[in-house]
Amino acid sequence: MANKAEDVLKDLKSGKYAPIYFLQGEEPFFIDQISDFIEANALQPHDKGFNQVVMYGKDVTIPDILNNARRFPMMADRQVVIVKEAQNIPQLGKEEIDQMLINYIKNPLPSTILVFAHKYKSVDGRKALARELDKSTVFVKSEKIKDNLLPGWIESFVKSKGYSIDNTTSFFLADSIGNNLEVISNELSKLFLNLQGETKITKDHIQKFIGINKEYNTFELTKAMGVKDVVKANKIIHYFSQNPKSHPVIPIIALVYNFFSKVALVHFNKQMPDAELARVTGVHPYFLKEYRIAANNFRLGKVIDCFAYIKEADLRSKGVDAGEMEDREILRELVFKIMH
C-alpha cells in the first residue's frame, strides 16, 4: 500500500530512513519535497563528497544505478544515491531490466539509501515491478490535489510555516494561481519573507507581495457574474485588457467554463444537502452559497446558452472565425452575452 508523503516526511524528520524510496505520480511537489529532504539531510555535509551520488534518468541505466547502490560507504555509516527524472531511465518497463531492479529491491544494501524520483507518470501497476515496489520499498503515489481540496492544503501549508490564512483568502489564492503546488509554495515563501512579524496572511498581503489584485481577478469576475453585477464584471474585464500578459484570455475562458459547469451541477442537484453538494460540485462548502445564488440568477436554459458562448469565445481565442478581434474584445463580448 502506498505511503502518504506527509507520513514519509515525518519519519525522515525524526531520523528514520529506509533503504529504497520510489516516488511516483502526477504531482512533482511531494516528490521533490521528499527527495530534496533526503539529499539535504541524510548525510553530514563532510560525508557528501564521497557518499552522495545524484543521477539523472536519461543519462543512466538500471545497471549503472545498481552498481552505485551496491557500493559501500567511504568513512561513513551510509551513502545516498538519488535518481532524478527516473521516468526517463532507458528501457525501464522491459521485463529483463525490471527484473534487475526487482532483484535489488528484494535484497538491498542496508547502508545505501536509494531514491527514485519518478515524476508525472507511474510504473505499470499490472507488472511484477510495481507489486514489488509496493511490497518492499517506501512507495509514494504523489497525486494532484483536487480543486476543492486546494484551499485546505494552502491553509495547512501556511500553518506548517507558523502563519495563518482564512478560508476566503486561501480560496482566492487557489483560484488565482491554480493547482500548481510548486508555484503556490514558492509565492507564499516569498510572501513569508516580507511579513515582518505579522502572522495572518490577508488579500492585501497577496496583492502587495504576490501581485494578484484583490479586486480585479478571475475569482471576483465569476463572483460578479454569479450575482449579475454587470458594472463590476466590466471593470474587471477592463482591468484585464490593460494587463493582457498577466491575464491571458484562454485560462480566463477556462475558468468561466469551470464556474458555469459547477452552476449546472447545482441545478441538477438542488435538493442535496450542502455537504453532499459540495462533494459533487468540487466546491469548498464555505463558498457553496455563491453557486446557489448563481443558479438562482441563471436558469438552466441560460447556463446551456453560456456554454455555447464560452465555446465560441474559446475557438476565437485560438484563431477560429476570430477575424480581426483581439483577445480583449473576445472576452468583453463573452461577458456581455453571459450577463445579458
Side-chain angles (χ1 to χ4, degrees):
M1 184 176 178
N3 295 266
K4 292 182 178 180
E6 55 265 34
D7 292 337
V8 174
L9 281 167
K10 185 177 179 180
D11 284 345
L12 292 173
K13 289 174 182 178
S14 67
K16 297 177 184 176
Y17 289 90
I20 306 174
Y21 293 82
F22 199 93
L23 320 170
Q24 70 171 20
E26 292 293 329
E27 179 50 71
F29 179 80
F30 301 115
I31 295 173
D32 286 338
Q33 263 195 323
I34 295 170
S35 63
D36 289 350
F37 186 93
I38 294 171
E39 184 175 354
N41 298 285
L43 295 175
Q44 295 296 321
H46 58 268
D47 289 329
K48 290 182 180 181
F50 291 111
N51 296 296
Q52 184 158 285
V53 179
V54 178
M55 316 170 87
Y56 289 84
K58 65 183 178 65
D59 299 324
V60 296
T61 64
I62 288 296
D64 295 330
I65 296 165
L66 299 182
N67 285 339
N68 277 275
R70 289 188 175 111
R71 287 192 305 111
F72 287 95
M74 185 177 294
M75 296 180 290
D77 292 331
R78 59 189 174 207
Q79 68 154 347
V80 174
V81 178
I82 299 174
V83 187
K84 299 186 176 183
E85 300 172 11
Q87 71 277 7
N88 296 323
I89 297 172
Q91 297 186 313
L92 186 63
K94 295 288 181 68
E95 185 175 350
E96 180 183 353
I97 300 300
D98 285 2
Q99 191 58 52
M100 291 182 187
L101 184 51
I102 289 170
N103 292 340
Y104 180 81
I105 292 170
K106 288 181 175 180
N107 188 27
L109 192 66
S111 57
T112 294
I113 299 171
L114 175 59
V115 182
F116 291 90
H118 191 276
K119 295 181 179 178
Y120 310 116
K121 59 199 304 189
S122 300
V123 296
D124 189 338
R126 300 166 297 180
K127 293 191 173 182
L129 176 59
R131 293 192 293 272
E132 195 61 42
L133 288 169
D134 193 24
K135 175 184 174 184
S136 304
T137 73
V138 175
F139 185 52
V140 174
K141 286 186 178 180
S142 183
E143 298 178 341
K144 285 283 187 184
I145 290 180
K146 294 179 180 178
D147 289 345
N148 63 312
L149 300 178
L150 190 55
W153 182 87
I154 291 172
E155 290 165 29
S156 296
F157 178 81
V158 169
K159 184 178 179 180
S160 73
K161 302 300 181 181
Y163 301 92
S164 65
I165 185 170
D166 61 39
N167 275 326
T168 303
T169 307
S170 63
F171 192 95
F172 165 60
L173 184 61
D175 190 72
S176 300
I177 293 181
N179 198 349
N180 189 320
L181 301 190
E182 183 177 6
V183 173
I184 291 173
S185 64
N186 287 342
E187 294 295 344
L188 283 171
S189 295
K190 288 188 289 186
L191 188 153
F192 297 149
L193 294 174
N194 290 283
L195 286 183
Q196 299 178 343
E198 298 177 73
T199 58
K200 185 169 184 178
I201 296 170
T202 66
K203 286 187 179 180
D204 289 329
H205 291 127
I206 290 172
Q207 178 172 332
K208 183 176 181 181
F209 300 118
I210 297 180
I212 302 169
N213 191 295
K214 67 177 181 179
E215 297 293 335
Y216 302 117
N217 54 75
T218 53
F219 173 62
E220 293 297 328
L221 174 61
T222 55
K223 185 177 178 180
M225 286 180 175
V227 297
K228 288 207 165 182
D229 188 338
V230 176
V231 173
K232 184 169 184 180
N234 280 300
K235 283 182 178 179
I236 295 170
I237 291 301
H238 177 72
Y239 175 80
F240 288 171
S241 70
Q242 302 302 306
N243 303 271
K245 288 185 178 179
S246 299
H247 301 92
V249 67
I250 292 176
I252 295 171
I253 292 171
L255 285 166
V256 173
Y257 171 79
N258 189 45
F259 175 77
F260 279 101
S261 296
K262 289 177 169 59
V263 174
L265 284 171
V266 172
H267 270 291
F268 289 117
N269 300 279
K270 277 186 176 180
Q271 305 308 315
M272 281 186 177
D274 282 358
E276 183 67 11
L277 186 57
R279 185 189 65 79
V280 169
T281 58
V283 173
H284 193 287
Y286 185 84
F287 296 96
L288 194 58
K289 182 180 177 182
E290 294 177 11
Y291 288 87
R292 286 196 182 275
I293 291 172
N296 287 332
N297 287 331
F298 289 84
R299 58 182 175 79
L300 183 57
K302 178 63 175 179
V303 173
I304 293 170
D305 289 341
C306 289
F307 288 136
Y309 305 148
I310 293 165
K311 181 178 180 181
E312 179 185 47
D314 181 59
L315 289 171
R316 284 179 173 172
S317 71
K318 295 168 183 173
V320 179
D321 297 328
E324 299 298 319
M325 290 182 75
E326 296 181 357
D327 284 354
R328 61 184 178 182
E329 295 170 316
I330 294 169
L331 195 55
R332 191 178 294 119
E333 182 183 83
L334 172 62
V335 172
F336 178 84
K337 286 181 176 179
I338 288 173
M339 301 291 283
H340 294 84

